[in-house]
Structure formats: C-alpha cells, structure tokens
Amino acid sequence: MKLDDPAEFAVWAVISSGKVGEFRRWMALRKKTTELSIHQIYGQALKMREPVQLYSGIGWEEVAPLLESLPTFVEPGSEKVSETDLFPGPKTPFCAEHRLYHRGGTCPISTGDFIRRGIRSQE
Ligand SMILES: [Zn+2]
C-alpha cells in the first residue's frame, strides 16, 4: 500500500510450539502454496517465537470477529493487531485506546482514515 492510502489491518500471533505443523497446513491452504514454502517463509520467525501475520488487508470492523475465532494453533493471548504488513514490534507506535500498532505519529482510527470493510480478497 502507498503511505497516503487509508489504513487496512492485519492480525498477528505467536504460534504454539506444539502446533507448528497445524499452522503450516493452514497457511499453505490460505496462500495456495506448499507446506515446504511456508516453512521457508516462516521458519525463522517460528523458531524465534515472533508473531506472524495470519490475516492482512482486512477492514477495521472485521478485526474483532477474527480475534474471537482465532485458529487453535495460536498461543493464547499472543494476538496483536497492526496496519497491514507493519510488524508489531516493541518500537512500533501503539495506540492503547484501539489496541493497534500503527505507522507514523497518529492512530488512523482517530483520524478516520481507514478501511471499515475489506476492499480486496486474500488472493
Ligand atoms: Zn487509536
């Protein structure tokens, strides 16, 4: 996305260590690729127990329902919400009111410049 596009969102989570295979199968289906390529893309993050991006390009109203029905391989309580493709790291700006990791200085929910419902498919 370009910097001046309205914000769209992503859900991240840490994968439970005993459920990595379950995650690989889920993500391979979702991205229409092989479990091997999922391993190649996410292996390092899984080893470091960093959050991985489960859903991206979603609207703000779609975030809460996804958080309520997370896949069973998610480590409980590890889920985070950010702007799409923005890693929710310790130095990433965070809005406590909306529990959102965001780009730049202002939370996009406060400025109103965000997508409410998904504008594109996951493909
Ligand atoms: Zn906010």
Side-chain angles (χ1 to χ4, degrees), residues 96-117:
E97 184 186 349
H98 301 109
R99 308 199 55 74
L100 172 68
Y101 291 83
H102 60 85
R103 295 186 169 84
T106 316
C107 168
I109 309 302
S110 314
T111 62
D113 193 18
F114 64 97
I115 301 296
R116 283 181 170 70
R117 293 191 162 271

Side-chain angles (χ1 to χ4, degrees), residues 1-10 12 53 81-87 91-95 100-109 111:
M1 65 178 275
K2 295 194 297 288
L3 265 182
D4 52 357
D5 282 345
E8 55 188 57
F9 306 97
W12 303 67
Q53 188 167 246
V81 180
S82 75
E83 290 188 50
T84 288
D85 295 334
L86 177 71
F87 184 78
K91 291 182 178 166
T92 310
F94 178 71
C95 170
L100 172 68
Y101 291 83
H102 60 85
R103 295 186 169 84
T106 316
C107 168
I109 309 302
T111 62

Side-chain angles (χ1 to χ4, degrees), residues 25-59:
R25 284 190 292 279
W26 183 88
M27 193 56 106
L29 272 176
R30 195 166 178 80
K31 293 200 177 264
K32 299 186 170 65
T33 184
T34 62
E35 291 183 44
L36 177 61
S37 71
I38 294 302
H39 171 71
Q40 286 162 345
I41 296 166
Y42 296 96
Q44 187 64 18
L46 297 179
K47 212 165 108 185
M48 305 298 290
R49 303 199 44 76
E50 286 177 351
V52 298
Q53 188 167 246
L54 298 180
Y55 305 100
S56 62
I58 55 179

